[in-house]
Amino acid sequence: MKLSVIGCGYLGAVHAAAMASIGHEVVGIDVDAEKVRRLSAGEAPFFEPGLNEILAAGVESGRLTFSTDMADAAGSRVHFVAVGTPQRHDGAGADLTFVNAAVDALAPHLGAGELVVGKSTVPVGTAERLRPIVERTGARIAWNPEFLREGFAVADTLTPDRLVYGVTGGSDSEDVATLDEVYAPAIAAGTPRLVTDFATAELVKVSANAFLATKISFINAMAEIAEATGADVTMLADAIGHDARIGRRFLNAGVGFGGGCLPKDIRAFAARAEEIGRGESVQFLKHVDEINLRRRQRVVDLLVDSFGGSVVGRRVAVLGLAFKPDSDDTRDSPALDVAVRLHGLGADVVCTDPEAIDNARRQHPQLTYERDLDRALEGAEAVVLVTEWREYRDLDPVAVAGAVARPLLVDGRNCLDPVAWRAAGWTYIGLGRP
Ligand code: NAD
C-alpha cells in the first residue's frame, strides 16, 4: 500500500522504515531538511537499535523515500501523522502547533477515500476537532495511538502487543479494513486489535502512560519511606512484585522517569482534565510528577551529604545522559538533570554516555563531556550512575576502584550489586536502600 508518514522523529522514522520493511511503499515527510537528508541516505538521525538496518534496506529497495515537500504525500492511501506534541512553553498542556500545522499542510494534497491516521499522542478531543478539516477534502480520519518504547522501537512497531484504532464507523467500517491491511502481518500473527471511538483511543495512550508513571512514582515514594526507616526498597519491590496483581516490572526505585513522553504526557493529561472540568479525577498525577522530580534532587543531596555539605570543586563522573539505556534521547532526562544540578552546585562534573553526548551537549553546552568511559572515571572523587546502560551495569568494581581518586558511588538506578561494590572498597549509596 502507498503510505505517507508526516513527521520523522523517534516515532515517525521507525514507523516509516518498519512499514517499508513489511512491503508498503512509504514516503516520510519532515520539515527538518537535515533529518530528511540523512534518512534519504538510509542513515538513522538518532540512535535506535535495529533502525539503521531496516532504514537502509528500505531506501535500497526503492520502497522508502523521504522528502521535505508535503506534495510528495499526495496519492498515498494512508497518511500517518507522527509529529511531536511537546509540553507548551507557557503551561502544562500539550503544544498542538505541529499537529495542526501538519494537518493543515497535508489537507490540500488529500483525495477522496484516503485515510489520515493520527499516531501522535494528543489530548482527548483532538481527532474530533481535526475531523472537519480532513473530511472537507473527501478523506477520512482515524486515531491509532503508538505504544513503542525507545530502545525497542523497531520490534515494538513490527510486533506490537496491541493495536488500537479510534474510528468513527465502528468495527465493520472501511477504515478498520484499511488499517488491518496496513498492519497485515501483525493482524495475521493474532495481535489483539481494539476498535474504539476517537476519545477512547486518545485516552488509551495517555492513561497507559499515566499508569506507568504512577507505578514508578509509587515505588519511588516507597523509597522515600524506606530511606526514613532503614528498609530496603529493592527487597520490598521484589516481595510485592511476586503478587501477580502487582507485578515486578516498572517497580525499580531510582532517579525516576523522563524522556519525551511520560513527563509531558501526564502533565498534558492533567491540563486537559482541568479543561473538561475533571481536574480532580487525575489530581494524583501532580503528586506522581512531584515524587518523580524529588528523586533527582535526592540523588544530588545524597552526594552533597557524602561530601559533608558541599561539592564545590569536587570531581564527579556522571555515568549516563540519556533518559534510558539504548537510546540517545535526552528530552527531560533525569540523568542530564542530575548532571546540570551538580554543575550548578559547583562540582567539576564530567559526563559520559555511549550515545547521548551530542544531544546533551546541544541542550547543555556548559557541561564537560567525555566519550571514553575510562577517561571519565579517571581521578573522580565520586561516581554517579544515572542511566543503566549495560556497560555501566557490567562495570568491575575492583577495576573502577583503581581508576578513581575516591571510591564513592551513588547508584541512581539501583542497578549494581551493593555487596560486590562494598567488598571492593566502595562506599555504595543506593536509593531507598540502607
Ligand atoms: P520527535 O520530536 O522526535 O519527532 C517529531 C518530528 O516531527 C520531528 O522530526 C519534526 O521535525 C517533525 N515535524 C514537526 N512539525 C512538522 C510538520 N508540520 N510537518 C512535518 N514534520 C514535522 O518526536 P517523537 O518522539 O517522534 O514523538 C512524536 C509523537 O509520538 C509525540 O506525540 C509523542 O508523544 C508520540 N510518541 C512518541 C513515542 C516515543 O517513544 N518517542 C512513543 C509513542 C508516542
Side-chain angles (χ1 to χ4, degrees):
M1 197 187 289
K2 247 186 121 192
L3 312 175
S4 82
V5 178
I6 319 300
C8 297
Y10 286 93
L11 190 171
V14 175
H15 194 69
M19 293 300 105
S21 81
I22 59 171
H24 298 301
E25 190 182 320
V26 187
V27 57
I29 309 283
D30 203 288
V31 289
D32 182 335
E34 172 59 13
K35 206 173 260 186
V36 165
R37 187 194 64 74
R38 291 182 66 177
L39 288 164
S40 301
E43 185 193 318
F46 51 86
F47 176 76
E48 179 61 46
L51 176 58
N52 265 319
E53 289 78 356
I54 58 166
L55 200 52
V59 170
E60 177 101 338
S61 73
R63 280 198 311 276
L64 179 61
T65 55
F66 294 92
S67 170
T68 52
D69 186 358
M70 193 66 92
D72 290 330
S76 293
R77 210 168 122 204
V78 174
H79 306 270
F80 287 101
V81 176
V83 297
T85 49
Q87 185 175 338
R88 291 170 63 107
H89 291 298
D90 60 354
D95 181 353
L96 293 173
T97 315
F98 306 106
V99 170
N100 296 340
V103 172
D104 285 344
L106 177 63
H109 305 288
L110 291 172
E114 294 174 12
L115 185 63
V116 174
V117 179
K119 288 204 82 65
S120 301
T121 303
V122 292
V124 60
T126 304
E128 197 57 53
R129 180 176 59 75
L130 296 171
R131 185 176 173 183
I133 304 169
V134 171
E135 289 189 347
R136 261 200 302 274
T137 70
R140 301 175 52 74
I141 183 166
W143 218 267
N144 166 221
E146 178 57 56
F147 303 101
L148 70 80
R149 296 160 300 163
E150 285 176 27
F152 305 92
V154 173
D156 285 351
T157 305
L158 290 170
T159 51
D161 48 17
R162 79 288 212 191
L163 290 161
V164 175
Y165 305 165
V167 295
T168 46
S171 300
D172 299 328
S173 69
E174 201 185 311
D175 302 342
V176 170
T178 303
L179 283 166
D180 278 352
E181 207 179 318
V182 170
Y183 296 121
I187 296 290
T191 305
R193 186 260 267 148
L194 294 94
V195 177
T196 72
D197 49 49
F198 287 164
T200 307
E202 290 162 333
L203 283 171
V204 165
K205 175 64 194 175
V206 289
S207 57
N209 278 356
F211 190 88
L212 294 173
T214 303
K215 201 170 175 191
I216 298 170
S217 278
F218 172 82
I219 200 65
N220 280 330
M222 295 309 106
E224 293 183 340
I225 303 293
E227 278 159 11
T229 53
D232 184 335
V233 75
T234 61
M235 294 294 291
L236 182 148
D238 288 345
I240 64 172
H242 280 297
D243 185 331
R245 294 169 302 177
I246 295 172
R248 181 64 179 82
R249 297 186 67 193
F250 265 61
L251 272 189
N252 293 322
V255 70
F257 59 81
C261 291
L262 254 52
K264 61 106 175 152
D265 286 350
I266 60 168
R267 290 169 201 153
F269 192 8
R272 184 66 183 137
E274 287 285 348
E275 282 171 11
I276 59 176
R278 289 290 185 278
E280 216 176 307
S281 306
V282 291
Q283 216 168 22
F284 67 93
L285 290 177
K286 293 201 169 66
H287 295 293
V288 167
D289 201 2
E290 281 164 13
I291 293 165
N292 189 56
L293 295 175
R294 277 206 298 271
R295 299 318 281 166
R296 302 176 181 191
Q297 188 57 40
R298 176 70 184 156
V299 170
V300 172
D301 291 345
L302 283 168
L303 191 71
V304 173
D305 288 350
S306 63
F307 277 114
S310 169
V311 287
V312 172
R314 299 295 194 157
R315 174 74 186 272
V316 181
V318 174
L319 308 192
L321 293 162
F323 84 99
K324 64 188 286 194
D326 295 314
S327 174
D328 67 355
D329 196 346
T330 54
R331 289 178 290 183
D332 211 338
S333 168
L336 183 53
D337 196 8
V338 165
V340 169
R341 287 174 196 230
L342 289 171
H343 175 82
L345 291 173
D348 172 15
V349 178
V350 177
C351 309
T352 189
D353 188 285
E355 297 291 342
I357 288 182
D358 294 342
N359 282 339
R361 200 195 301 274
R362 266 189 290 276
Q363 271 174 273
H364 291 287
Q366 78 277 21
L367 297 178
T368 301
Y369 298 97
E370 173 54 63
R371 279 177 208 281
D372 186 80
L373 175 58
D374 292 336
R375 277 211 291 272
L377 290 166
E378 220 170 76
E381 293 170 85
V383 176
V384 182
L385 194 166
V386 263
T387 311
E388 67 279 36
W389 284 93
R390 172 149 293 285
E391 44 263 74
Y392 305 155
R393 294 201 308 265
D394 289 346
L395 279 171
D396 173 3
V398 177
V400 184
V404 297
R406 178 182 166 192
L408 169 65
L409 172 83
V410 179
D411 180 3
R413 294 291 180 179
N414 287 344
C415 64
L416 300 176
D417 176 8
V419 176
W421 282 74
R422 285 180 181 138
W426 286 80
T427 301
Y428 172 96
I429 303 170
L431 271 80
R433 316 175 89 170

